[in-house]
Amino acid sequence: MDLHDSPQDAAFRVEARRWLEANLTGEFARARGLGHMGLQHQGRELRQAWERRLGRDGWTCLGWPTEHGGRGLPVSQQVVWHEEYARADAPARINVMGEGLLGPTVIAYGTDEQRRRFLPRIVDGTELWCQGYSEPDAGSDLANVQTRAVPDGDEWVVTGQKVWTSYAQWADWCFVLCRTDPAAERHRGLSYLLVPMRQPGVEVRPIRQVTGTAEFNEVFFDGARTRADAVVGELHDGWSVALATLAFERGVGLLGDVVGFGRELDQVLELARKGGRSSDAILRQRLTDAWVRLFVLRLNTLRSLAGVDGPVAPPQASIAKLFWATWHRDLGELAMDVLGAHAAVAEQFPYELGDLQRMFLFSRADTIYGGSNEIQHNIIGERVLGLPPEPKVLARETR
Ligand SMILES: Cc1cc2nc3c(=O)[nH]c(=O)nc-3n(C[C@H](O)[C@H](O)[C@H](O)COP(=O)(O)OP(=O)(O)OC[C@H]3O[C@@H](n4cnc5c(N)ncnc54)[C@H](O)[C@@H]3O)c2cc1C
């Protein structure tokens, strides 16, 4: 496998780098570094203006087909874009849910009318989305979703509670997994509904986290309304659509993350060199190990994306998720060990965390969202190793 850019990819890299250099200037110079892990609440207006700038110049939705407003670029160039974007320390994207999840789902399962209505506003960065799947009793066991949607004339009326909803505080729309056939069991009888967020029946309550900030939310639907034709895919078949959305979640962005991880590791290494703790034999081994594992992560991600022109297949996606999430969580712990006693003290009163402290705390979430480590182990155990399936008794008892 050739790890160098092809001539076309190299030319594209230059184009992407030049555009980023030329545009992360003026008002957007301040946007550099905004909104990364543990700081997603930062700079909403500036980041949305940046989203529109990206859209104006054709730098959103690079992998979408051209007939839906994308650029139809191959995976290799989407990867290049993510790497250059991370290298430039451009702000965290504010519409990842729209571009990465809802858009591809509407392209695959939506009606022409839904495509015309929703896709252009994701491409140009004017409408933001959030993902309404998880509920207090439906996380790993997603089929246990209890939020209900009931038809009322030419509308649906939605009632229920979602939780951990990232970006809900800013989103214009939410794609909601909800129960439309109450008589059906578990994953049968669910539908995938598009619900406007700015209406009286929707209440968003931010959840304050251990980082001191609030990135995600509880969302209460209390008689919220949406149009009858806002179902994506077949009525009562939202489970297939919801799973398809999750398959879009893992892919080309990981190599951009790897660039960010490398930057964090450099910070830890720098600290170890300066702080003199590099003489600690165990710490030296862990630092070296972190570097090697990051190198392996990059190579393996490149390998799994080579020749792929869509979502990465489930076993590879699970291996990748398990590997990077565990790596990042371990890096957080390593950073705290290198910081030593300073790790326990906030940088400024009352609770101003340093970058590494914030990374440590936020990285605890990595092994949970997008499918927890335990769930990835289950998938790999059952689908790759052919182990007997886990007993389903617990899930039924806790309903
Ligand atoms: C930062 C962050 C952002 C998120 N953003 C969103 C969002 O935008 N929209 C959204 O819908 N959700 C979001 N989530 C929710 C996320 O998808 C869930 O947290 C995740 O699916 C786990 O569900 P849970 O929290 O209910 O934990 P549970 O499913 O209750 O799990 C609790 C523990 O039990 C383990 N466990 C559960 N079932 C099994 C099993 N069968 N075998 C072995 N172990 C098991 C889990 O691994 C975990 O350790 C976000 C979560 C985080 C942390």
Side-chain angles (χ1 to χ4, degrees):
M1 183 185 157
D2 186 357
L3 295 175
H4 297 101
D5 287 345
S6 68
Q8 293 87 340
D9 293 352
F12 179 74
R13 193 179 287 283
V14 172
E15 182 193 339
R17 195 171 289 180
R18 285 201 181 131
W19 186 87
L20 286 161
E21 271 166 21
N23 284 275
L24 279 168
T25 53
E27 60 167 333
F28 293 125
R30 280 189 299 118
R32 280 186 198 258
L34 281 188
H36 292 296
M37 284 293 170
L39 292 171
Q40 281 114 323
H41 63 291
Q42 288 179 327
R44 185 240 154 113
E45 281 182 11
L46 192 56
R47 283 165 65 201
Q48 193 163 2
W50 172 246
E51 198 72 29
R52 287 195 291 268
R53 170 68 64 88
L54 291 166
R56 185 197 75 181
D57 290 357
W59 292 103
T60 58
C61 309
L62 300 187
W64 291 16
T66 47
E67 68 264 34
H68 297 305
R71 282 173 68 173
L73 294 184
V75 164
S76 62
Q77 291 182 7
Q78 296 172 52
V79 165
V80 165
W81 167 248
H82 282 284
E83 286 182 336
E84 290 305 317
Y85 194 89
R87 262 189 206 118
D89 203 19
R93 296 289 303 278
I94 203 175
N95 204 15
V96 278
M97 300 296 183
E99 175 169 336
L101 301 183
L102 188 272
T105 308
V106 168
I107 290 171
Y109 291 88
T111 60
D112 286 342
E113 172 54 26
Q114 287 169 344
R115 292 185 188 127
R116 267 194 303 273
R117 165 64 187 81
F118 294 112
L119 299 181
R121 291 175 202 175
I122 297 174
V123 172
D124 70 13
T126 50
E127 265 178 4
L128 304 181
W129 285 82
C130 63
Q131 176 186 26
Y133 279 18
S134 304
E135 297 183 1
D137 286 323
S140 304
D141 184 20
L142 189 59
N144 196 36
V145 156
Q146 299 299 324
T147 293
R148 292 273 305 275
V150 178
D152 180 27
D154 57 359
E155 290 185 321
W156 289 101
V157 179
V158 185
T159 304
Q161 183 195 346
K162 297 292 172 179
V163 71
W164 316 127
T165 323
S166 310
Y167 306 102
Q169 71 277 31
W170 296 341
D172 302 291
W173 287 83
C174 183
F175 46 101
V176 179
L177 189 61
C178 55
R179 203 159 283 285
T180 41
D181 180 359
E185 279 281 300
R186 293 179 59 75
H187 62 276
R188 286 177 280 275
L190 297 174
S191 294
Y192 192 104
L193 212 58
L194 309 180
V195 180
M197 291 291 283
R198 299 180 199 285
Q199 56 167 313
V202 178
E203 188 191 344
V204 176
R205 292 188 202 160
I207 299 173
R208 196 170 175 80
Q209 297 148 221
V210 69
T211 49
T213 57
E215 275 97 17
F216 45 40
N217 309 271
E218 293 177 291
V219 177
F220 295 87
F221 295 104
D222 185 9
R225 289 181 172 264
T226 193
R227 284 167 48 150
D229 61 2
V231 177
V232 180
E234 296 296 319
L235 185 64
H236 309 320
D237 189 32
W239 185 249
S240 329
V241 186
L243 292 192
T245 299
L246 291 180
F248 291 119
E249 199 166 12
R250 307 144 176 151
V252 290
L254 184 51
L255 279 153
D257 295 339
V258 167
V259 172
F261 292 164
R263 195 179 291 137
E264 288 170 346
L265 176 58
D266 284 345
Q267 256 183 292
V268 179
L269 287 167
E270 190 54 27
L271 193 69
R273 289 188 200 107
K274 277 195 192 143
R277 301 201 74 215
S278 46
S279 58
D280 179 322
I282 302 290
L283 222 44
R284 285 163 69 99
Q285 292 202 6
R286 286 171 64 199
L287 287 164
T288 317
D289 195 42
W291 186 87
V292 170
R293 284 164 68 209
L294 185 60
F295 193 71
V296 170
L297 173 61
R298 178 162 188 274
L299 295 185
N300 203 39
T301 310
L302 282 170
R303 190 182 60 163
S304 67
L305 288 173
V308 170
D309 223 358
V312 179
Q316 282 88 335
S318 288
I319 294 165
K321 170 78 211 312
L322 189 59
F323 197 91
W324 77 252
T326 307
W327 182 88
H328 201 222
R329 182 200 60 194
D330 292 352
L331 181 71
E333 291 175 6
L334 179 57
M336 294 305 96
D337 289 343
V338 172
L339 268 173
H342 292 289
V345 184
E347 286 209 340
Q348 282 179 43
F349 182 81
Y351 195 65
E352 205 57 50
L353 301 177
D355 287 347
L356 293 179
Q357 290 168 319
R358 193 177 310 107
M359 185 268 284
F360 163 66
L361 291 173
F362 200 89
S363 65
R364 309 308 295 186
D366 290 335
T367 57
I368 300 172
Y369 67 83
S372 69
N373 269 18
E374 291 75 17
I375 296 301
Q376 306 303 344
H377 277 115
N378 284 347
I379 294 172
I380 296 166
E382 291 175 25
R383 297 199 204 157
V384 183
L385 306 181
L387 299 176
E390 59 160 337
K392 299 290 178 201
V393 186
L394 241 185
R396 274 198 298 275
E397 275 178 359
T398 52
R399 281 183 57 201

